[in-house]
Amino acid sequence: MKCRKCGATAAINMRHHRLALCASHYLEWIPEQTQRTIEHYRMFSLSDQVLVAVSGGKDSLGLWDVLDRLGYQTAGVYIGLGIDGGVRYSDQSLARCRAFAGARRLKLHTVDVPTELGASIPEAARLTHRGQQKPCSVCGLTKRHVMNRVALEAGVDVLATGHNLDDEVAVLFGNTLSWSTGYLARQAPVLEARPGFVRKVKPFCRLMERETAAYAVLRGIDYIYDECPFAEGATNLTHKDLLNRLEADRPGAKLSFYLSFLRARQTGALLLPGAAEAESDLHACVTCGQPTTAPGECTYCRTRRRIHEKREQRSR
Ligand code: Q46
Ligand code: ZN
Ligand code: ZN
């Protein structure tokens, strides 16, 4: 297979784009595609401060690298979850993020969840009985809360996450299977800022996971290969597997599923109630001030309080 631009040996073949590229042309193509996505969805401009949520993985560090190459003003935020999983997952991922930021002289905000919450994510799940086998629900709510807070405190214009097309399509597929209209209404490449919520964007939403992985490898980014040990067996992965089989059979199926959904919603062909209703129930958490639909305190503050109470009970 030859590169379409220069005829050299291709490093990657993207069947759904009918495009094969050599390493150097691929390293140009990814930033071009990302820039097109940023412009298409009006995500941000060169004058905006962009905070990139980084986990140490290929997607988030690849995204930070691309945005930096494109000349955007960026800083990173890393949330240490206190997950070991036999691979020192959190320590290793923090080390990758620090090395990445240090080499490019970019600012990295770090938050240590065990310090903030009073327990690591697996401990928090155990203490609060949220998630019998998996700590993903407490993890998700903690990450959302902390990221939003850091973004607001840092005064940035936008928070960017490394979600790729496979992530988006797997979530879309899951929400469609259960017709979770509230979640469907909120799934978008851009979530506009609302009082107390920072604007959120996903500049890699049209790139496949194998494309972001190839970019990170060809760019020589030192990222953590291990997935979070709790990711294994997640429903999301089952959906990804199914969708990969569909894609292998019909190249372009994932991108078309995702883009058709966005178009249908934008044109009003798909009317999704739910988001507006949930929105009207928002009020400020009595403890931290972040918007919440939970009565009184937000779920994060309630979780934090319960952890401290449990700790006190145990120390008595
Ligand atoms: S939610 Fe679950 Fe992830 Fe948190 S505990 Fe790991 S797998 S990191 S995206
Ligand atoms: Zn080439
Ligand atoms: Zn709160």
Side-chain angles (χ1 to χ4, degrees), residues 58 86 116 151 157 175 221 244 252 277 293 299:
K58 61 186 186 326
E116 291 244 341
D157 298 288
N175 287 337
I221 295 172
N244 281 341
E277 285 160 27
T293 50
T299 321

Side-chain angles (χ1 to χ4, degrees), residues 65-122:
D65 178 82
V66 167
L67 297 184
D68 186 46
R69 284 180 67 197
L70 287 168
Y72 290 105
Q73 303 178 57
T74 59
V77 55
Y78 171 82
I79 302 176
L81 305 167
I83 293 176
D84 182 276
V87 291
R88 295 176 53 238
Y89 176 73
S90 287
D91 291 350
Q92 295 288 341
S93 50
L94 173 60
R96 299 304 198 292
C97 296
R98 282 213 169 115
F100 179 97
R104 290 160 179 82
R105 294 170 187 262
L106 293 166
K107 181 166 176 57
L108 178 69
H109 301 263
T110 58
V111 176
D112 184 52
V113 168
T115 311
E116 291 244 341
L117 192 61
S120 69
I121 289 295

